[in-house]
């Protein structure tokens, strides 16, 4: 069983604190993605788990064993980096088997492990090639194969797809997910890309400035973001946010005389005069006749479209509510002219309220 536990893990580089006392429990076989903006401490956290960075405080255990003072090779982990780090003068076969050779494993065992990895990753045809004769995606597969042959308890990935073009990135994402389904190891995966996090993770750990902001399944973060940072980081386009003030207990006054009811999830939790951000996703603001037919409380808004982005099955519509640019979605799209006025339905049950002072969600 290989669960990974971080207790109050701290990293300081001189005076700069890169990681501020992180607590995180990762279950055996779980696929956990650390995501967040550049510089938030993802790689540092991963490298501390790998043993490539000392920790300045706290405790890390892997499979129930405290590893704080164990060198990387004794932690039974394999790490895949963004730049692959393949040996250029070796063939794919030699690259795959190299770590086992230097560990002086018996030849038969090495051959069997290499064959198995090649099969899992579809590398059979490429075994005698050198890295220079491979495409980016193939090199990435070899890098993963090299991690697999060691039968690690835990795979650590640091932005493994960042050097690939968009199309290949999507393909490799699926391969990594299939790999996890086949081998079932614990995976800790670092990326700055929220789409990768959403599509790959059993659980997402969203970080900011060396802190964990929210941990949960992709849908938990999407549907119940704890604050405006999560609301705008997860999901594309980002959640629309409009400044408002609570009037009485039932109404949020936006600018320009526009007001909306307090969404049911926040009723009874806001106070008269409270400054808030009113939030909703593009999916919850759709023109009449081009929306999902859903039960629930709705508000009607007549809005002018300023710009359109046709995506095929849907079109993103840019418009303004109370002086703030927001994005809406049109299903079964028809062409829309800039300046055209449409009646939109806002799904109030799906809307969010955040306290303006703290940015925290107000939700029962
Ligand atoms: P991420 O992977 O999320 O982009 P990192 O973990 O690489 O972020 O970095 C977190 C913070 O720690 C950043 O502010 C970075 O500048 C700092 N940092 C990372 N490595 C070092 C180092 N070796 N020395 C000093 N500061 C570092
Ligand atoms: Mg990084």
């Amino acid at each position: 069983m290989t669960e990974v536990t971080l207790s109050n893990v701290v990293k300081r580089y001189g005076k700069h604190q890169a990681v501020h006392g992180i607590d995180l429990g990762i279950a055996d076989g779980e696929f956990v993605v650390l995501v967040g903006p550049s510089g938030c401490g993802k790689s540092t956290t991963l490298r501390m788990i790998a043993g490539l960075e000392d920790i300045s405080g706290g405790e890390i255990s892997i499979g129930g064993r405290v590893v704080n003072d164990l060198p990387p090779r004794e932690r039974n982990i394999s790490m895949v980096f963004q730049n692959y780090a393949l040996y250029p003068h070796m063939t794919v076969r030699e690259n795959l088997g190299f770590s086992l050779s230097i560990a002086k494993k018996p030849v038969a065992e090495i051959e069997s492990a290499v064959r198995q990895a090649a099969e899992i990753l579809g590398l059979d045809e490429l075994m005698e090639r050198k890295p220079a004769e491979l495409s980016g995606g193939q090199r990435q597969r070899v890098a993963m194969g090299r991690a697999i042959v060691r039968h690690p308890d835990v795979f650590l990935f640091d932005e493994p797809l960042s050097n690939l073009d968009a199309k290949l990135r999507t393909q490799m994402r699926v391969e990594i997910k299939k790999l996890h389904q086949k081998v079932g190891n614990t995976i800790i995966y670092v990326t700055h890309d929220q789409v990768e996090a959403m599509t790959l993770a059993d659980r997402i750990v969203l970080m900011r400035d060396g802190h964990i902001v929210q941990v949960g399944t992709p849908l938990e973060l999407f549907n119940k973001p704890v604050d405006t940072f999560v609301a705008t980081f997860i999901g594309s386009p980002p959640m629309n946010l409009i400044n408002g003030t609570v009037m009485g207990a039932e109404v949020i006054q936006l600018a320009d005389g526009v007001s909306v009811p307090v969404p049911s999830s926040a009723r009874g939790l806001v106070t008269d005069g409270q400054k808030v951000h009113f939030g909703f996703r593009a999916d919850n603001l759709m023109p009449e006749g081009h929306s999902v037919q859903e039960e629930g409380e709705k508000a009607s808004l007549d809005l002018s479209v300023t710009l359109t982005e046709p995506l095929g099955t849907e079109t993103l519509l840019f418009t303004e509510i109370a002086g703030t640019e927001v994005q809406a979605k049109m299903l079964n799209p028809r062409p829309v002219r800039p300046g055209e006025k449409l009646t939109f339905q806002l799904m109030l049950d799906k809307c969010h309220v955040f306290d303006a002072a703290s940015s925290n969600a107000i939700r029962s």
Side-chain angles (χ1 to χ4, degrees):
M1 298 299 278
T2 316
E3 59 284 337
V4 177
T5 311
L6 281 66
S7 308
N8 197 18
V9 171
V10 173
K11 179 66 187 182
R12 277 183 224 97
Y13 292 109
K15 275 193 204 142
H16 175 67
Q17 190 155 346
V19 176
H20 296 262
I22 281 185
D23 291 304
L24 182 64
I26 297 167
D28 183 44
E30 197 175 18
F31 197 139
V32 163
V33 177
L34 309 184
V35 69
S38 177
C40 71
K42 306 179 295 291
S43 293
T44 302
T45 303
L46 199 73
R47 293 170 61 81
M48 288 192 289
I49 296 169
L52 300 172
E53 259 339 313
D54 291 335
I55 67 176
S56 315
E59 193 176 274
I60 297 179
S61 65
I62 300 177
R65 188 170 60 137
V66 176
V67 298
N68 285 19
D69 299 318
L70 282 188
R73 66 176 180 284
E74 288 173 32
R75 297 188 182 198
N76 212 16
I77 47 104
S78 276
M79 188 141 167
V80 179
F81 299 93
Q82 181 175 347
N83 57 11
Y84 321 141
L86 300 178
Y87 301 107
H89 57 287
M90 290 185 196
T91 63
V92 168
R93 184 187 303 284
E94 288 160 348
N95 264 288
L96 290 176
F98 185 68
S99 68
L100 299 179
S101 305
I102 55 168
K104 303 246 181 335
K105 299 283 184 195
V107 173
E109 184 184 325
I110 298 176
E111 280 178 1
S112 150
V114 168
R115 203 180 317 118
Q116 203 187 359
E119 194 184 318
I120 290 176
L121 291 160
L123 293 169
D124 304 281
E125 312 287 308
L126 309 171
M127 296 300 269
E128 310 314 323
R129 294 205 200 164
K130 302 246 172 87
E133 301 164 306
L134 302 174
S135 70
Q138 290 168 336
R139 278 180 217 163
Q140 184 58 54
R141 270 208 288 275
V142 177
M144 289 201 286
R146 228 173 28 172
I148 291 179
V149 293
R150 299 170 53 203
H151 294 297
D153 294 327
V154 183
F155 284 113
L156 305 176
F157 288 91
D158 194 352
E159 308 253 5
L161 307 183
S162 293
N163 283 342
L164 305 179
D165 65 45
K167 188 161 179 207
L168 201 49
R169 210 154 51 218
T170 316
Q171 285 171 9
M172 291 305 293
R173 218 165 63 200
V174 174
E175 296 210 12
I176 290 176
K177 200 153 187 176
K178 283 184 181 158
L179 172 70
H180 182 242
Q181 285 174 0
K182 273 183 201 160
V183 298
N185 298 54
T186 309
I187 294 184
I188 309 176
Y189 186 106
V190 160
T191 179
H192 65 276
D193 178 356
Q194 64 92 20
V195 177
E196 259 174 51
M198 288 290 283
T199 50
L200 286 172
D202 292 324
R203 271 193 313 154
I204 294 177
V205 177
L206 180 47
M207 296 181 65
R208 181 190 200 182
D209 298 339
H211 295 273
I212 293 177
V213 185
Q214 187 168 5
V215 180
T217 64
L219 290 181
E220 279 166 358
L221 268 68
F222 186 81
N223 291 321
K224 296 194 167 179
V226 296
D227 63 14
T228 54
F229 171 72
V230 182
T232 50
F233 192 88
I234 297 286
S236 177
M239 186 183 285
N240 298 301
L241 294 174
I242 305 175
N243 294 335
T245 307
V246 178
M247 303 297 241
E250 300 279 320
V251 172
I252 298 173
Q253 181 78 51
L254 311 174
D256 296 342
V258 182
S259 62
V260 288
V262 174
S264 50
S265 59
R267 249 166 240 166
L269 301 173
V270 291
T271 52
D272 185 35
Q274 186 175 5
K275 300 283 182 207
V276 296
H277 302 299
F278 179 74
F280 58 91
R281 297 197 181 274
D283 315 64
N284 304 128
L285 179 67
M286 295 190 177
E288 268 179 351
H290 294 270
S291 55
V292 199
Q293 294 308 310
E294 263 187 85
E295 293 302 304
E297 207 179 336
K298 301 184 181 84
S300 267
L301 298 164
D302 292 328
L303 303 170
S304 291
V305 175
T306 54
L307 188 125
T308 66
E309 277 187 351
L311 299 169
T313 48
E314 61 193 36
T315 292
L316 280 180
L317 304 176
F318 288 67
T319 179
E320 258 188 25
I321 296 179
T324 302
E325 179 171 85
V326 299
Q327 296 184 52
K329 224 172 235 186
M330 179 183 226
L331 302 183
N332 308 313
R334 63 162 175 83
V336 176
R337 283 173 287 106
E340 197 173 325
K341 209 165 202 180
L342 299 173
T343 302
F344 286 84
Q345 301 287 351
L346 179 62
M347 298 295 301
L348 284 171
D349 295 344
K350 300 280 173 65
C351 293
H352 302 255
V353 185
F354 302 92
D355 177 55
S358 66
S359 298
N360 290 335
I362 304 172
R363 182 187 299 122
S364 50

